[in-house]
Amino acid sequence: MDMSVTVVADGVQHIGLVGAFDVNGAADVDLRFAALAGSKDKILVDLTQVASLASVGMRTLLVNAKVVSRRGGKFVLAGPKPVVEKALQTAGITDLIPTYPDVTTAMRAFES
Amino acid sequence: MGASNESAALTLGPAPHEIPRLKEWLRARGAADRLEPELVDQLIFCAEELFMNIVSHNSAAREIRVVLDARGPEAALTIEDQGTAFDPTKVPPPTKPGSLEAAPIGGLGLHLVRQFSSGMEYARVGPTNRLVIRFGSAATPVRRST
């Protein structure tokens, strides 16, 4: 899985993920993801190009969301495809991590 | 291969790098059997979760065999391994956390398989763990040698 990081408006770290967020995908991004979550307080995870999400990928999201949340930061998800959104909802992740239908809507979560 | 009432089997090594082959096989079987895309998504999701459970937790498993028996909107996915006996149907479901901080990190895979399937049955047959996951309201799958 490919991961890109861009600083956008208001200092938000836009994390773009591309591919399958399975055990191999998680292995590709875990270290870099953890480094960001450990140091940045505004993180938007763009899921628009994530083809599928396994429980190991959910684990990555939960672990890093917790780290950011403990510091009082914001960690949000944006643009999941229907199959990914269904997995997130079924796992109860959308009750724990704010999830938005697209990046534009998700960015509003960071407005003071 | 690809007749709608034929079972088919795939044998995989117990390693994460086998996951793409598992997914591609299920996609190909889904196309050949003209399965609904949503059913194929569910099959792929559940197969991957259960495959990785064996890889991660049952080091005695030397190979993992996957069989798909699909009939229209129904399917039965059978996963077999010769690892240590383990019945995943006995694993209790997780309790819903009240907050992000209280949320457990693991244990989601089996919970999700239960949610995406219509039933799960386990049997220990000689040295083999056999787990059958049903989708739709699939009857007992026909066992064919391959």
Side-chain angles (χ1 to χ4, degrees):
Chain A
M1 190 165 66
D2 293 326
M3 174 175 171
S4 64
V5 182
T6 311
V7 183
V8 294
D10 297 324
V12 174
Q13 306 288 317
H14 173 278
I15 298 177
L17 301 174
V18 180
F21 208 159
D22 57 13
V23 63
N24 297 311
D28 290 338
V29 306
D30 271 349
L31 272 177
R32 200 171 165 199
F33 220 125
L36 278 167
S39 60
K40 305 299 180 186
D41 292 341
K42 296 180 183 179
I43 293 182
L44 185 157
V45 183
D46 185 346
L47 299 173
T48 55
Q49 296 190 72
V50 171
S52 59
L53 177 64
S55 65
V56 64
M58 294 179 195
R59 182 185 304 183
T60 296
L61 295 175
L62 278 171
V63 164
N64 291 293
K66 284 177 184 251
V67 169
V68 174
S69 175
R70 283 179 196 136
R71 290 203 309 277
K74 277 186 184 165
F75 184 104
V76 306
L77 307 178
K81 293 183 191 299
V83 63
V84 172
E85 184 179 21
K86 185 174 181 181
L88 287 167
Q89 286 175 341
T90 304
I93 303 268
T94 52
D95 294 332
L96 304 172
I97 303 176
T99 305
Y100 300 92
D102 52 66
V103 172
T104 301
T105 312
M107 282 299 296
R108 295 196 195 118
F110 297 98
E111 290 172 3
S112 326
Chain B
M1 175 168 171
S4 60
N5 287 327
E6 289 291 322
S7 292
L10 176 71
T11 300
L12 302 159
H17 71 252
E18 291 273 56
I19 286 176
R21 193 157 74 96
L22 171 61
K23 290 181 177 180
E24 281 310 308
W25 181 77
L26 285 168
R27 286 193 190 100
R29 292 284 296 130
D33 289 349
R34 294 188 175 88
L35 302 182
E36 289 294 324
E38 185 174 349
L39 175 56
V40 175
D41 286 341
Q42 291 167 343
L43 286 165
I44 288 173
F45 184 93
C46 292
E48 179 182 351
E49 292 294 335
L50 294 167
F51 175 85
M52 279 310 302
N53 271 357
I54 297 170
V55 170
S56 301
H57 303 300
N58 202 333
S59 59
R62 291 289 172 257
E63 62 180 32
I64 299 166
R65 185 168 179 265
V66 180
V67 179
L68 177 63
D69 193 348
R71 305 162 190 241
E74 303 171 351
L77 188 69
T78 301
I79 299 179
E80 296 179 337
D81 69 271
Q82 277 78 45
T84 306
F86 175 71
D87 181 358
T89 67
K90 293 285 197 294
V91 176
T95 52
K96 184 173 178 175
S99 65
L100 174 62
E101 186 58 32
I105 298 301
L108 285 173
L110 275 176
H111 168 63
L112 288 163
V113 169
R114 286 193 180 105
Q115 297 302 309
F116 284 129
S117 64
S118 57
M120 214 167 35
E121 293 150 22
Y122 170 81
R124 181 73 177 178
V125 183
T128 302
N129 290 309
R130 178 180 294 154
L131 185 68
V132 180
I133 309 97
R134 304 190 190 286
F135 302 82
S137 57
T140 303
V142 175
R143 300 287 308 158
R144 293 192 177 88
S145 59
T146 57

